[in-house]
């Protein structure tokens, strides 16, 4: 039975690379019109889990439903079978994916990079594809850059083209795989602002990220993965405020030290930030979306 409140339902998901288990019996619901951020140490299975949600990576056991539509496999036990290409495409067409690397065609303009998939996959005419591409590019603030080639864009602008390419498909859900990890620190903000705007518009989003500030401020649900399992799950206040799980506490404490304590002047004490909770992770007022 499907949950009408969930855009994505994952049950008993298992994935291994050789003998190494990457995902071990994952159960997860992704709420509709909400932002779910997946955090955790490198190698904990975050990106593999995300790629399974788009069936860019297959899995050995378990099930994924995209708005009630089976993705990859259907049935259980001896009755389990691979979905047909038609069934896979029916589920995939609801999902957009923004990659870590920009994956833009260097020989095509910004407009062509967004329009070409619409022509090849969606079989739109050249004019129809261009119209949808222009609309998507305007939404990410690149209306004045449609004739440029990727080489002449900053990293942040190239990633916004990637987001526009996903938006142009009219997805119900967008999956983001560490969308700012390849960017210089000063370019991260422009990409995160586009994502904040999408969240404000009610787009269902799943974001694998190391941007803890973004996760604490924008997410409705935060999922912490470790060694292929979901070690903790909850609201930003529950995960970042005073988590019960010692592994989460350790991970966030290390993050907080790397990004705050080491930047202070030597020999100077830093007063406790407003909203800082007892164990040391600062929270801004209003973290999480209302």
């Amino acid at each position: 039975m499907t949950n009408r409140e969930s855009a994505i339902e994952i049950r008993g998901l298992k994935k291994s690379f050789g003998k190494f288990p990457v995902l071990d019996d994952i159960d997860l619901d992704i709420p509709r019109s909400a932002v779910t951020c997946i955090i955790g140490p490198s190698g904990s299975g975050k990106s593999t889990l995300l790629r399974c949600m788009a069936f860019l990576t297959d899995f050995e056991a378990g099930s994924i439903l995209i708005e009630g539509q089976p993705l990859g496999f259907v049935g259980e036990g001896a009755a389990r079978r691979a979905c047909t290409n038609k069934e896979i495409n029916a589920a995939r067409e609801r999902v957009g994916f923004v990659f870590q690397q920009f994956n833009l065609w260097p020989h095509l303009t910004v407009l062509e990079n967004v329009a070409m998939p619409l022509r090849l996959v969606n079989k739109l005419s050249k004019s129809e594809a261009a119209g949808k591409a222009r609309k998507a590019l305007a939404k990410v603030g690149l209306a004045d850059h449609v004739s440029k080639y990727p080489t002449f864009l900053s990293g942040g602008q190239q990633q916004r083209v990637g987001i526009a390419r996903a938006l142009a498909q009219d997805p119900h859900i967008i999956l983001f795989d560490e969308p700012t990890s390849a960017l210089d620190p000063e370019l991260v903000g422009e990409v995160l602002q586009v994502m904040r705007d999408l969240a404000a518009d009610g787009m269902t989003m799943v974001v694998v990220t190391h941007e803890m500030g973004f996760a604490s401020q924008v997410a409705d649900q935060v999922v912490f993965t470790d060694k292929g399992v979901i070690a903790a799950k909850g609201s930003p206040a529950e995960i970042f405020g005073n988590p019960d799980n010692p592994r989460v506490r350790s991970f966030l404490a290390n993050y907080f030290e790397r990004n705050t304590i080491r930047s202070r002047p030597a020999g100077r004490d830093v007063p406790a930030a407003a909203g800082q909770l007892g164990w040391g992770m600062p929270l801004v007022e209003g973290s999480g979306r209302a």
Side-chain angles (χ1 to χ4, degrees), residues 42-240:
S42 297
S44 62
K46 304 184 301 296
S47 291
T48 301
L49 175 57
L50 194 78
R51 291 177 66 85
C52 285
M53 294 184 205
F55 205 56
L56 298 176
T57 297
D58 67 2
F59 43 93
E60 287 91 44
S63 64
I64 299 178
L65 298 180
I66 306 293
E67 296 183 330
Q69 177 75 34
L71 177 66
F73 301 92
V74 63
E76 300 179 359
R80 188 174 189 258
R81 66 167 178 83
C83 289
T84 65
N85 287 336
K86 183 177 181 180
E87 289 171 328
I88 292 172
N89 291 335
R92 269 181 171 168
E93 69 182 8
R94 307 161 193 247
V95 180
F97 201 101
V98 177
F99 295 89
Q100 200 170 359
Q101 302 297 328
F102 317 129
N103 294 335
L104 302 181
W105 289 299
H107 63 292
L108 299 181
T109 66
V110 166
L111 182 67
E112 290 167 337
N113 263 281
V114 178
M116 187 61 70
L118 296 173
R119 297 179 62 189
L120 296 177
V121 178
N122 302 76
K123 307 302 180 184
L124 297 186
S125 68
K126 184 175 181 179
S127 61
E128 288 174 325
K132 293 196 72 172
R134 288 181 186 277
K135 183 178 179 181
L137 287 164
K139 193 170 184 64
V140 300
L142 293 175
D144 295 333
H145 298 271
V146 295
S147 298
K148 293 183 179 178
Y149 288 88
T151 304
F152 298 98
L153 300 179
S154 70
Q157 289 171 328
Q158 290 186 56
Q159 189 58 290
R160 283 191 280 158
V161 175
I163 296 174
R165 183 172 53 194
L167 282 173
Q169 301 286 335
D170 294 325
H172 298 180
I173 304 158
I174 301 183
L175 310 178
F176 295 83
D177 187 11
E178 298 189 36
T180 61
S181 64
L183 301 178
D184 291 335
E186 63 183 1
L187 301 177
V188 168
E190 65 186 72
V191 174
L192 294 183
Q193 186 56 55
V194 169
M195 295 170 67
R196 286 188 177 94
D197 292 342
L198 292 175
D201 289 342
M203 174 64 72
T204 301
M205 299 162 58
V206 185
V207 186
V208 169
T209 184
H210 291 289
E211 298 289 341
M212 299 300 126
F214 174 84
S216 69
Q217 295 171 35
V218 179
D220 299 284
Q221 173 177 242
V222 180
V223 175
F224 180 85
T225 60
D226 187 39
K227 297 180 180 179
V229 302
I230 294 177
K233 179 177 63 176
S235 68
E238 291 168 332
I239 298 298
F240 294 108

Side-chain angles (χ1 to χ4, degrees), residues 24-42:
D24 188 8
D25 203 23
I26 298 290
D27 290 341
L28 181 63
D29 288 314
I30 303 299
R32 294 178 186 271
S33 301
V35 178
T36 296
C37 285
I38 303 176
I39 65 172
S42 297

